[in-house]
Amino acid sequence: MRVLLVGSGGREHALALGLAADPVVEHLVAAPGNPGIGAIAELREVVTTDPAAVAGLAVETAADLVVIGPEAPLVAGVADAVRAKGIACFGPSAAAARIEGSKSFAKEVMAAAGVPTARAYTCTDADQTARALDEFGPPYVVKDDGLAAGKGVVVTEDRAAALAHAAACGRVVVEEYLSGPEVSLFVVTDGQTALPLLPAQDFKRVGEGDVGPNTGGMGAYAPLPWAPPNLVDEVMTRVVHPTLAELRRRDTPFVGLLYVGLALTAAGPKVVEFNARFGDPETQAVLALLETPLAGLLHAAATGTLAGHPPLRWRPGAAVTVVVAAAGYPAAARTGDVITGADRPGIIHAGTARRASDGALVSAGGRVVCATAVGPDLAAARDAAYELVDGITLDGSQHRRDIALAAVRGQVTVPN
Ligand code: AMP
Ligand code: GLY
């Protein structure tokens, strides 16, 4: 099988490692990729949000399967253009990707499908926003209606800050605050059959103890030792299957990775968000534990044959990934700093590049590398991940020291 992987971040490096390890993959191309991915794949330049360009590259590289990592190409219709060439594509159509691309569309689908989620209003002016904020009370949750790379959401006790964020965004979704630990559940689907991956937890805030602004994610671990044993079944029954059925009913079946972001509240699991692609950095932890060959799995989803796929197999133990971010992230990440220690197994490249003048590895994005390790239990995986982090040097870099710490200490509890 010849595979074209679209994207360039840590998630794509983790996907590339999984794809390259699958014996059915004879050739892997990544576009544009990054230096870490370049060690295991042929790199090609492409504008990832240009459907004709990506479809053209898929034809040129004789791809049997295209895997689209990030959301922006999906929302732009890249999967549609690839499928129009008769090439199997892991990733939803533009119409189905609206489940991530528009928060208000996601709410509409959930309402129609009876999926538990926060009560919400879509607001387009300050008066509507103020009324919605006052109905729900603090903490206030205000979400940009469009794509914002994980940074469009403000959760605050400060009413003026909530109003200011709404004004800056234009069209927003204001919703009820959901209290309880968060879970990221990834589901591989061909639109009908759906296979859940191990549940993971992400750390969205930049600072230790979950303080500071939201980021794309500062670290993750899987599985969740504290999760109720029926969690995955319950989410499949109450959330995933009704949502996939509603998308089929609208003639926009969802093929690819449905990312269900949940809060486990006292009233049960409720959807915080849907994404139309693998989460970053949760993928780095989840795929580190997947034993089932990845290309075969994604190809089965892309070709509507997931019902015949064998059950997923997982390594025992746990995985932890810790993001090393650039100075200034998330507000204004500094780039161009030299990175050392990033050539060891377990270091996943996110925002890295080769400096033109001398080929040195330098930072080229907010999240620079992810140190990923597995272990027989969560504590061991965590220790191994931090050992990798401690071997990296990057001037001004920041990382959280508390990834998976509360879970190791048995301090994560589900309200009831
Ligand atoms: P989203 O992009 O919708 O996932 O929001 C980013 C982050 O904001 C989530 O992972 C949560 O940590 C937080 N958040 C979003 N919606 C809510 C909510 N209704 N209640 C509490 N926290 C939320
Ligand atoms: N880690 C959160 C996301 O990928 O959206």
Side-chain angles (χ1 to χ4, degrees):
M1 194 188 301
R2 297 176 59 88
V3 182
L4 170 62
L5 170 64
V6 176
S8 63
R11 161 185 53 217
E12 286 74 28
H13 191 183
L15 286 165
L17 289 165
L19 292 166
D22 185 334
V24 304
V25 175
E26 74 220 43
H27 192 70
L28 178 62
V29 178
N34 64 36
I37 301 172
I40 52 172
E42 176 192 345
L43 300 187
R44 296 290 296 264
E45 278 305 321
V46 78
V47 176
T48 58
T49 51
D50 180 340
V54 175
L57 183 61
V59 170
E60 189 193 324
T61 57
D64 304 299
L65 172 68
V66 175
V67 177
I68 301 175
E71 60 275 19
L74 295 165
V75 171
V78 168
D80 306 79
V82 170
R83 279 190 204 106
K85 298 284 184 196
I87 299 173
C89 185
F90 185 81
S93 65
R98 285 182 71 211
I99 198 129
E100 170 165 11
S102 166
K103 300 271 187 201
S104 53
F105 175 75
K107 285 290 182 190
E108 199 185 299
V109 169
M110 285 189 267
V115 167
T117 185
R119 288 187 301 131
Y121 294 104
T122 301
C123 304
T124 50
D125 66 40
D127 281 350
Q128 283 177 355
T129 304
R131 275 200 302 275
L133 293 175
D134 294 338
E135 180 177 329
F136 296 133
Y140 303 106
V141 181
V142 180
K143 303 183 171 187
D144 194 335
D145 189 33
L147 280 187
K151 292 165 230 165
V153 176
V154 161
V155 180
T156 178
E157 298 279 341
D158 179 346
R159 191 173 177 277
L163 279 168
H165 182 62
C169 294
R171 190 180 152 96
V172 293
V173 171
V174 174
E175 64 180 42
E176 161 196 24
Y177 179 79
L178 297 178
S179 181
E182 284 187 46
V183 172
S184 303
L185 183 68
F186 299 167
V187 178
V188 172
T189 178
D190 59 10
Q192 180 89 43
T193 301
L195 296 182
L197 306 188
L198 291 179
Q201 193 173 47
D202 178 24
F203 293 74
K204 288 256 167 55
R205 302 281 185 146
V206 74
E208 276 163 33
D210 296 323
V211 299
N214 270 323
T215 68
M218 295 297 288
Y221 66 94
L224 308 175
W226 47 267
N230 64 345
L231 175 68
V232 172
D233 286 347
E234 183 179 3
V235 174
M236 293 304 287
T237 305
R238 296 187 58 200
V239 176
V240 173
H241 287 299
T243 299
L244 294 178
E246 174 62 17
L247 290 171
R248 285 196 302 272
R249 197 187 63 75
R250 292 170 182 243
D251 280 330
T252 56
F254 187 99
V255 176
L257 194 292
L258 183 66
Y259 168 136
V260 187
L262 300 149
L264 305 195
T265 74
K270 292 194 181 186
V271 174
V272 172
E273 66 168 340
F274 282 126
N275 292 320
R277 36 82 195 167
F278 281 95
D280 190 345
E282 297 97 312
T283 299
Q284 288 84 312
V286 171
L287 291 188
L289 296 170
L290 182 68
E291 258 174 14
T292 298
L294 185 63
L297 173 64
L298 303 188
H299 188 263
T303 53
T305 57
L306 211 50
H309 193 278
L312 301 184
R313 284 182 291 108
W314 297 96
R315 271 181 199 106
V320 174
T321 190
V322 179
V323 171
V324 177
Y329 180 74
R334 191 174 85 198
T335 58
D337 289 303
V338 171
I339 308 155
T340 67
D343 47 5
R344 283 165 305 152
I347 302 293
I348 289 179
H349 289 225
T352 66
R354 292 275 168 210
R355 190 159 63 190
S357 57
D358 59 359
L361 190 71
V362 294
S363 55
R367 294 185 289 177
V368 180
V369 296
C370 309
T372 307
V374 296
D377 59 24
L378 194 56
R382 193 181 121 76
D383 288 346
Y386 278 106
E387 208 177 300
L388 283 170
V389 170
D390 293 337
I392 291 169
T393 63
L394 169 64
D395 190 34
S397 72
Q398 19 164 1
H399 65 269
R400 287 181 56 163
R401 296 298 305 185
D402 63 347
I403 304 303
L405 183 58
V408 166
R409 291 183 172 160
Q411 289 167 345
V412 184
T413 50
V414 180
N416 54 33

